[in-house]
Amino acid sequence: MRSFFKELSQCRQAALSEAIGTFILVFAGTGAVMVNTISNGAVTHLGISFVFGSIVASLIYTVSHISGAHFNPAVTLAFWNSGFFPKHQVLPYILAQLVGASAASALLLVSLGSVANLGATVPLNGNWLQSLVLETVLSFILMFVIFGSGLDRRAPVGFAGLAIGLTVGVEAAFMGPITGASMNPARSFGPAFVGGIWQHHWVYWVAPILGAQLAAVIYRHLSNGFRDFKSYR
């Protein structure tokens, strides 16, 4: 019984960490998109990409020891399907991520107003098939880097946050104008939910989850059935 309550407490701490981390990610990242519009481009597209990448890197170093620093339902599901995350924590994590993202978008709406669609991700010119393919590839790359830098025991120690943050920033830089470079259902859900912007929103769930699962399949082969991985927690 004591171990049950200890596990419950740890799950609550981890879920709260995920909510706060996702809040910060969406507040900073989509906030940069909105401020860029308000300031007539002062932040710039590359600046927005830098904000997304650097905040992800910072958050990984800040809370990875508490929750694993997912901040992304696609990442949580990939970890679970790969055997590195307990099933009973999947739903609390995803709910926490969605709540954190929605809270950030709500605060941005109150603070900055309804500008730039609150940083919502929508396919360029409504081309959902293009965005579906590209978001799948982007999410594959991101999850591939997460597995290789964050879980593989053969990787250099201490560089996971930097590698993952750089990946997010680079992908946002070269593909953001086409798809929004979400790679994260929670990041897309917050602005969509608060702003009521649901145009092709399903793409930003299906593609990241599919891409992350494909990365899990590929990296399983590269790591001898994950035997080269360190334990999740």
Side-chain angles (χ1 to χ4, degrees):
M1 182 65 71
R2 182 178 299 176
S3 62
F4 169 78
F5 284 111
K6 181 179 180 181
E7 184 176 352
L8 181 61
S9 175
Q10 290 175 341
C11 182
R12 287 176 177 172
Q13 292 175 350
L16 179 59
S17 173
E18 285 293 302
I20 294 173
T22 311
F23 172 90
I24 295 172
L25 167 61
V26 174
F27 183 79
T30 62
V33 174
M34 296 170 70
V35 170
N36 189 56
T37 297
I38 294 171
S39 63
N40 296 317
V43 180
T44 75
H45 171 65
L46 289 180
I48 294 170
S49 303
F50 173 80
V51 169
F52 270 111
S54 59
I55 199 64
V56 167
S58 298
L59 288 169
I60 289 172
Y61 289 119
T62 302
V63 298
S64 61
H65 54 285
I66 300 175
S67 69
H70 299 188
F71 317 131
N72 185 337
V75 172
T76 298
L77 290 170
F79 277 151
W80 164 66
N81 192 43
S82 301
F84 297 100
F85 191 70
K87 181 179 179 180
H88 69 276
Q89 290 189 18
V90 171
L91 185 58
Y93 262 52
I94 292 177
L95 289 177
Q97 292 156 3
L98 297 181
V99 168
S102 299
S105 292
L107 181 57
L108 288 169
L109 175 62
V110 172
S111 303
L112 302 177
S114 182
V115 298
N117 289 332
L118 301 183
T121 51
V122 293
L124 180 66
N125 299 324
N127 191 339
W128 62 265
L129 181 58
Q130 180 186 61
S131 288
L132 178 66
V133 172
L134 295 176
E135 281 288 325
T136 299
V137 175
L138 293 177
S139 302
F140 170 85
I141 295 171
L142 175 60
M143 195 70 222
F144 190 79
V145 171
I146 290 173
F147 276 132
S149 65
L151 288 183
D152 197 319
R153 68 176 72 251
R154 299 167 296 178
V157 177
F159 289 96
L162 181 61
I164 297 166
L166 283 172
T167 301
V168 170
V170 168
E171 292 190 317
F174 78 83
M175 204 58 75
I178 307 298
T179 71
S182 172
M183 304 164 278
N184 183 340
R187 176 261 179 269
S188 291
F189 178 82
F193 178 71
V194 174
I197 306 164
W198 299 106
Q199 181 184 9
H200 303 303
H201 178 70
W202 63 272
V203 169
Y204 299 97
W205 281 86
V206 173
I209 291 173
L210 177 60
Q213 294 298 329
L214 288 174
V217 171
I218 297 300
Y219 213 93
R220 184 187 298 271
H221 291 286
L222 297 179
S223 59
N224 300 305
F226 293 132
R227 286 191 294 273
D228 294 316
F229 274 32
K230 50 194 172 187
S231 61
Y232 170 68
R233 298 186 59 185

